[in-house]
Each structure stands twice: as structure tokens, then as C-alpha cells.
Amino acid sequence: MAMSGMRGLSVFISDVRNCRNKEQERLRVDKELGNIRTRFKNEKGLTPYEKKKYVWKMLYIYMLGYDVDFGHMEAVSLISAPKYPEKQVGYIVTSCLLNENHDFLRLAINAVRNDIIGRNETFQCLALTLVGNIGGREFAESLAPDVQKLLLSSSCRPLVRKKAALCLLRLFRKNSDILNVDGWSDRMSQLLDERDLGVLTSSMSLFVALVANNHEAYWSCLPKCVKVMERLARNQDIPQEYTYYGIPSPWLQVKTMRALQYFPTVEDPSIRRALFEVLQRILMGTDVVKNVNKNNASHAVLFEALALVMHLDSEKEMMSQCVALLGKFIAVREPNIRYLGLENMTRMLMVTDVHEIIKRHQAQIITSLKDPDISIRRRSLDLLYGMCDVSNAKDIVEELLQYLATADFAMREELALKAAILAEKFAPDLSWYVDVILQLIDKAGDFVSDDIWFRVVQFVTNNEDLQPYAALKAREYLDKTAIHETMVKVSAYLLGEYSHLLARRPGCSPKEIFSIIHEKLPTVSTPTIPILLTTYAKILMHSQPPDPELQNQVWAVYSKYESCIDAEIQQRAVEYLALSRQGEALMDILAEMPKFPERQSSLIKKAEDTEADTAELSAIKLRTQQQTSNALVLTDQRPVNGAPQVSQLGMVLVPSTSNVDQNAVDQRVTQSNGNLSVVDPQDQAPVGDILGDLLSPLAIEGPPGVSSQPEVNGVPSHEVDANDALALAPVGDQESAVQPIGDIAERFQALCIKDSGVLYEDPNVQIGIKAEWRGHQGRMVLFLGNKNTAPLDSVQALVLAPYHLKLDISLVPEVIPPRAQVQCPLEVVNLHPSRDVAVLDFSYKFGTYLVNNKLRLPAVLNKFLQPIQVSAEEFFSQWRSLPGPPLKLQEVVRGVKPMSLGEMANLFNSLRLMVCPGLDPNACNLVASTTFYSESTRTVLCLIRIETDPADRTQLRMTVASGDPTLTFELKEFIKENLVSTPTAGKPPAPVAQQPQPNHQPIASSDPGALLAGLL
């Protein structure tokens, strides 16, 4: 393409902008790159001007996001050009395309050095800018002495010296061990006497880095910093161009005060007095005005001055003045100033003798806890947490509990954690502490970690006087129609241990206690069932001699769970049933838990560790650590330190005084179909009747008595190609002789709703799944059963994980013996929201045939949802806070399977989307809510609104909203897949939908072409 002058670059930029799609743009870019490559091969015929034009094009292509893997030599060679236009291009493109480790940079060192030591100031500025931007080790070794000379040279213009100071700062930050700054104290002192404010500001930036590295060497510079502050405070000799809205060089003031904070103290009385006069002037002279820019500048100086006052730990009068000033700021209307006021008041808590002064502003801080801005609410929470002590703990905790009911979901976790810590640290009495924790669990159970209720159990166990009160409160909470599962756990534990202390109270007989706890059993998840089984055994123990009716009811529960597929539940049921037939010996075996050894609270310890690392407690960091330590344990479910000893591995704790044979108790007995067998204590797998497991269609179903999600017509329809869903590959060219039993797709779809069932079955093999999910983590156990009398050879199971799932499967044996079943635990961690599905590549050899199956695993999006009931106020508050795309997406869905509103509600509930009746005044509409868990998003509230058309049930309008754009899109598509008619069998899968990009117009400066046009 023949072009003359820079018109070629302009035409190329226009061509790229006019491309209608990404593919057309790529073709145009590839064509231009090919043309540039051809011209560079004939470099001898290129003039510097033409080379400059092609290098500009390379830069533009690079800024568009394409790889440019050639032409670097041509860009570097332009640095040596004698004219400014070519030299400028060489410097700019080299700094953009090459990093500090690129080999071509070595070729440019001499040229750059020649420009630095030359007399052309423009070339010096270009060279210093390149060195500062790249900051490589070789540049530091070769060019740092020359840069230092420029900075200290009295013959250089201020413009060059400013760039030299910033260049030296960059080299020092990158290579502090190479840059020689020994003996720089006198030189820095000389630079701090500089009258030019531009050079002084740049030098102060360098000085901050030097004293941060070693303040001991720069004590002589401290008086000079104070003189700089005096000069600025009195507005002496400050040019107009360095005065910002009447404030003398606010940037230099901030840098100077930051440098002073690296010195431990100011010992000289005259210097200290001069510095305090300056700080006093700043504190007294700063006020809130209408001009936003002036406010920003003046408050930047003010808050840095506050930090310096706290660092110097000055006299109490000035501290009181600082707190009073901050108290005024947290009451203004401007949210940025309120935020800074709260943040700095939190820092003030580290200073002695100001706590009582800060308490005077408690009412205003509590008011800020209800601010519309969540950032201000967080800072208010941090401040309340830090200022709490014995005198005001009750008021603050009660305020937090009251606020918890209306707080954002994003804050409830942090609120619950901090309220629990404060209640423990400053409880006036232990009964109040129990009340607070139970209220926390009742109001925000989803956001209360296990450590919190573990700690309550420790307190109650170690304080006999507290046990009747705690048991009574637990009994009262169980009367509620709907309580959180965590409340079921703590109530069951407390009543199991201490319900006998309430025997004389109405409604507290053993039979009544058992009945009210047993009502909650169908509503709890699998990990909670073992706690309830232990509670039943304890209740039975306390009622010796037992009530025959109560005993029969408990025995019936244990009998039901004797053949449960979950090893933990089965083991407890078998052991407790055997133990409960021991008669009075049960009193010794299941005696009350002994006192816990005195130890520091895990919550308080983590809080103190975090406070030691940071100036203020970061509850988010603390919660992150807690999430890590309380991650779902898949191989060993023993409680962490401080957890209640509820025999998580099914071991019965026998007191040392018991005369019962521990070995007899500890045998792990498994009963199935009337056959008894003793299992190795190290084997956690339920044995049972293997043949019965394989042949019975109910063998891999969930435990009886546990409510499962209803199966409805609408199920996740992640359809794949028939060849992918079932790939049967016989050895050689023989035809496949092994066909699956049942429809693979239907089995997968059923498991997307249920947590147990058969994934695949053929005449030789049955693959069952039992799963449990908690937050963003899960555990699936694959049951691989050989149905034949001959072994299965060459067994392999490989999990193909999508990008958003972290999967870890245990080793699968190569041979499955005849009529045997093996278990393969599979750990799942959800990293990001996505509808992609993991695939199990399972193969085995039977006779002469190699059977290979690619089976989708039901670790789908809805497994990481937790339904949650929200009030109308909570729903509409969140709904209004999410204004539109990409956080709120709306779509008219056609081709919907005809169903009534009730059937649709059942479908949503089966997908873990809780339908909230009564929120939408239109009876034809449906509103649902849920929470989504992933490692990247943590807990995100999701809101769904369905508007149906009574005249046409095949279409509806759906709106989905959440705080994460990817989640909103994926959840919308997931719900749509379950609403529309199921695709015909064998239909290829739809392409994976890409996340929609926000609909906005780019600003002019974000266009590479516009940037280049500005340079040209």
C-alpha cells in the first residue's frame, strides 16, 4: 500500500476503526504487520522518516492488544537518530515494547548515556524518562552516576533536575542495593535548601524513599524539612503556579510530613516547637468549603498532619483538638470527608488518653453506621469495634445486633464476627454473652462461622451455673417455626448435654425435647445429622430408666440410618443403637463432656494477630483467614481446637472411670440386610451388602428421613453431543457390545437436583454419586461397582475440569474385584461463576472390549447456591442498589415449557432459588432470592423476578440481579435453560455464551489512535 508521509498512519488508524468485527480488524492488522515486516527486511532502503512511520504503526498495533514480536531493533535504532522527531519515536516505542530484561536494551545504553551527558536538554529529558520508565538493573549500574551528577549540577535547568530526581527515585526503588547513596545526607540537605519548588518537590519524593530505607543516616535533614514546612505554612516565596486554590504546594506539604513520620521523634526543643506551630496552624486553618478541589487539597494536608501528630504522640491538648476536629468532620454532609474523619478517628484509637474523648462522639458514629454509603458504614463498624470497652460494650453490641437485621449482606459476616468478639471480650455476665450469640445465630445464621457457636459451647461446658440458662434459651429458640441450621446444631448440643436440668419445667421432658429436635431433622443437611444422633443418645442416657415409648422412637431413628450411605451417619447409628441396649452402662459411656482446658479464644487471638499487623483491625482479612482455617475437611472431620467434642468420627468418648470395655465399644459394626460384620476402624467406607447396593435402584439414594429436593420436569439441560456423552470404544475394529442401561442425560439431569443417585450403569458397571455441598466447596463420592463375577481390568477415572472448578480425585484402583465396590472421593472448589460442566472420563476393560464413557458430573451452578428468605425491605433495597447492566439483566424468554405458577415455584425451589411470596403485588409474577458462593466472589446475594403472561404461558420476562456481572449473566442463562423446552436428543451443544460487555462509549483518551494523534 503506497502511502506518502504520515498520511499512511492516519489511513491505517481509520481502517482499523472502521472494521465491523474483531475478525475483520485482525485481518487488517495482519496485513499491515506483513507489510511492515517486508519493509524492514529491506531496511537499507528505508529513510529515518519511513522507519519512524512504521514504528508508529507497530506501537498502535501493540496498544490494540496484538503481539508485536519483530521490529524491536528498528525502534531501538531510532534512539540514535540525530533529529528530535525520530529520536522521540525511538524513546517512546522502546519504553512501551521492551522490558528491563530485554537484550536489545543493552544496545541502547551507550546512545542513552550520550544523550544524558550531552548538552541538549530536550534529549536529556527523553533519556531520563526512558531510564525512569524501564528502571532496569543494567541501566542502574551504567547510568546512575550520570543521573546523580545531573541532579546535583547547578548548571542544569530545573526541568532536567526534576526529571533526574524522579529517575533516580525509580532506580533506587528497583535496585536499592546497586545505587550508591552512601554519604548522601549532605547532598540531600543541599537539595532541601532548593528554592525552585519543582526541584524541591521531586527531591522530597526521593528523600521519602531514602529515609524509609534508612532514617538514621539523614538526621541532619530533619531541621531542613521543618523549615520547608514553615516556608509553606507562611506562604513565603511561593510562586503562583505552585499555589493550588490558595494552598501553597499541597503535594510538597504532604510529602514533607510523610518524610517526618519516618523519624522516631523530634528531640530538639526549638525544632519541635516550630513543627508544632506549623501543625497547629494547619489544624486551625482547615475547614469545609463548597469548592470540591480546594477541599480535597486542604484535607489531604490536614489528614497527613493528623498522622504526624499521632506519630509524634504530642501533648494531650493537641490530641483533643484533633479528635474534636474529626468529630466535626464525621457530621458533615460530604461523604468523602466523613469517610476520612472516621478512618482517622480509628487510627486515633492507637494513641493513649484519647479513648474517653472519642466516646463522646459515639452517637454520631452509630448514626454513620446507617449511612447510605457502604464504605462509610464499614469504617463506622471498624471504629465502634475499636472504641468498645467494658463501659460501653453493652450499648455497642446491642446497636450492632439491631443493625444486623437491616445491614447489607456484604457486611453481615463482618458484623456477626465483630459482635461475637466484643461480646466475649467485654461481657458483663456470661448469660448476656449467651443471649448475644444466640441472637446472632438467629438473625444472621448464614454469616456466623462455626467457631462462634463452638466458643459458646466451651463457655457453657466450663460454667455449671450457666448450663440451665443456656439449655432453657436453646429450648425457647427451637419453638420457632423456622430457625437456621446453626441454631439447630447449638441447641441440639446444649439440650443433649443439659436438658435433664430442665426436667421439672413444662415442655422440657425427655420425650418432648426429643420430639421438638426430631422435627428439625428433615430440614438439616448431612453434616448436622450426626450431631442430632448424638443428642438422641444423650437424651436417652439422661432418661434412665428409659421411657419405653421414647426408647422405641430413638431406636427407630437409629435403625433407619443403619444402612445409610454416609459413613459418618451409618457408623453413629450402628454404634449408638448397640450402646443404647447396654442399659445403665449407657450412663457411664455417654456421661457429660468434661470441662475444656482454659485457652484463649480463637476469635480474639486472630483479631489480636491482625491488629499487630495493621493499624486497625481488618475484619475482611480476619474472615479470610477464618475461611481458610475452617475450610470443608473431606478426609478427616474431627473438630478444630475449641470445637465441641461431638464425636465427629463416630468414636464414643468413655470416661476413664468407666468399667465398660473400650475395645468393645470402639468396634465399628455395620449392619445391612441382617448381616453383621466388623469393619477395620481405619476404613471409613460403608460396606453393607455390596451386591444389594449394586442391584437395588435405591442403593445410592440419600438416607431415609432426609428431605430431598423434589424432582420436577425442569432440570438443567447442559446437552452435549451424543458421541461425547457416551463414547464406547471396543478394542480393534469390533462393534460395541456394551450399551448403557437407562438414559445417561436423564440420570445427569436428575443428579443436578438431587445429591445422590446413579450416574451411569451398564451390564458390567454401576457408578453412583453421593454429594454434599457447603458454600463454595463440595465433596462427591463416586461409587464404582463391579456387577460381574469376573474382575474389571484397566480401570481409569480422569476428571476433566473446566476453568472455574478446582477438582481433586483420589486414586482409582486399576482392578475392581468381582462383586465389589470401591469409593473415590472427589473434592470440589468453585472458583468463579460459570455454567461449564466437569467431565468424568471413565474407562475399563471387560474381556476383549475397552469401554470408555465421558460422563458429565453434577457439580453445576445451582450446587453452589443457598436459598435465603429476604424481607420486602431487604429485597427492594438491594434491587434498587443494582441500577442496570451488567449487574441487572433483563430478557424476554420465549419457548418456555407451559407450566402453572405453582409448578414454576417448585422448579425454582428445586434449583435452590427460594421463592418469596407476597413481594410482588402482581399475582402473575414470581420473585426469588438465593446466595451464590465461590472463592472469588465469596457470598453474593442474587435476586430474580419473573413476569408471566397469563394469556401465553410459553413466554415470560425475566430479570436477574446480583453484585457480580459474570454471575448475573450466568445465572440468567442457567434459569433460562431450565425454563425453555428441552432440546431434541443428539442436538449439538450451543456455543458457550460470552459475558456481555458493559455498554458504554470509550473516552477519547482511551483510543490509541487518539493518543498517537496527540503526539503527532
mmCIF file of all heavy atoms in Angstrom, residues 268 454 483-484 507 841 978:
data_model
loop_
_atom_site.group_PDB
_atom_site.id
_atom_site.type_symbol
_atom_site.label_atom_id
_atom_site.label_comp_id
_atom_site.label_asym_id
_atom_site.label_seq_id
_atom_site.Cartn_x
_atom_site.Cartn_y
_atom_site.Cartn_z
ATOM 1 N N ASP A 268 15.071 18.104 69.458
ATOM 2 C CA ASP A 268 15.467 19.493 69.663
ATOM 3 C C ASP A 268 14.235 20.329 70.023
ATOM 4 O O ASP A 268 13.262 20.390 69.247
ATOM 5 C CB ASP A 268 16.127 20.025 68.390
ATOM 6 C CG ASP A 268 16.725 21.403 68.588
ATOM 7 O OD1 ASP A 268 15.949 22.356 68.764
ATOM 8 O OD2 ASP A 268 17.970 21.515 68.585
ATOM 9 N N PHE A 454 -19.009 -22.839 68.575
ATOM 10 C CA PHE A 454 -18.082 -23.687 69.324
ATOM 11 C C PHE A 454 -17.678 -23.001 70.639
ATOM 12 O O PHE A 454 -17.601 -23.623 71.692
ATOM 13 C CB PHE A 454 -16.817 -23.948 68.501
ATOM 14 C CG PHE A 454 -17.014 -24.861 67.320
ATOM 15 C CD1 PHE A 454 -15.999 -25.031 66.397
ATOM 16 C CD2 PHE A 454 -18.197 -25.544 67.119
ATOM 17 C CE1 PHE A 454 -16.159 -25.863 65.313
ATOM 18 C CE2 PHE A 454 -18.374 -26.371 66.024
ATOM 19 C CZ PHE A 454 -17.352 -26.534 65.110
ATOM 20 N N ILE A 483 -35.913 -21.904 61.953
ATOM 21 C CA ILE A 483 -34.654 -21.457 62.545
ATOM 22 C C ILE A 483 -33.511 -21.927 61.667
ATOM 23 O O ILE A 483 -33.642 -22.887 60.897
ATOM 24 C CB ILE A 483 -34.471 -21.980 63.991
ATOM 25 C CG1 ILE A 483 -34.426 -23.508 64.017
ATOM 26 C CG2 ILE A 483 -35.538 -21.454 64.888
ATOM 27 C CD1 ILE A 483 -34.089 -24.067 65.391
ATOM 28 N N HIS A 484 -32.384 -21.247 61.795
ATOM 29 C CA HIS A 484 -31.230 -21.590 60.972
ATOM 30 C C HIS A 484 -30.612 -22.906 61.432
ATOM 31 O O HIS A 484 -30.717 -23.309 62.595
ATOM 32 C CB HIS A 484 -30.194 -20.467 61.043
ATOM 33 C CG HIS A 484 -29.136 -20.576 60.003
ATOM 34 N ND1 HIS A 484 -27.955 -21.272 60.193
ATOM 35 C CD2 HIS A 484 -29.072 -20.100 58.731
ATOM 36 C CE1 HIS A 484 -27.222 -21.203 59.115
ATOM 37 N NE2 HIS A 484 -27.870 -20.492 58.211
ATOM 38 N N GLY A 507 -42.932 -28.651 79.219
ATOM 39 C CA GLY A 507 -42.465 -28.781 77.853
ATOM 40 C C GLY A 507 -41.022 -29.195 77.725
ATOM 41 O O GLY A 507 -40.455 -29.115 76.639
ATOM 42 N N ASP A 841 -13.971 -38.870 32.647
ATOM 43 C CA ASP A 841 -13.550 -39.786 31.582
ATOM 44 C C ASP A 841 -13.261 -41.140 32.248
ATOM 45 O O ASP A 841 -12.199 -41.364 32.804
ATOM 46 C CB ASP A 841 -12.301 -39.227 30.894
ATOM 47 C CG ASP A 841 -11.963 -40.005 29.621
ATOM 48 O OD1 ASP A 841 -12.530 -41.099 29.431
ATOM 49 O OD2 ASP A 841 -11.123 -39.527 28.838
ATOM 50 N N ASN A 978 -33.417 -23.874 32.104
ATOM 51 C CA ASN A 978 -34.352 -24.737 32.813
ATOM 52 C C ASN A 978 -35.806 -24.382 32.557
ATOM 53 O O ASN A 978 -36.687 -25.149 32.922
ATOM 54 C CB ASN A 978 -34.069 -24.659 34.324
ATOM 55 C CG ASN A 978 -32.809 -25.388 34.712
ATOM 56 O OD1 ASN A 978 -32.822 -26.585 34.926
ATOM 57 N ND2 ASN A 978 -31.700 -24.664 34.783
#
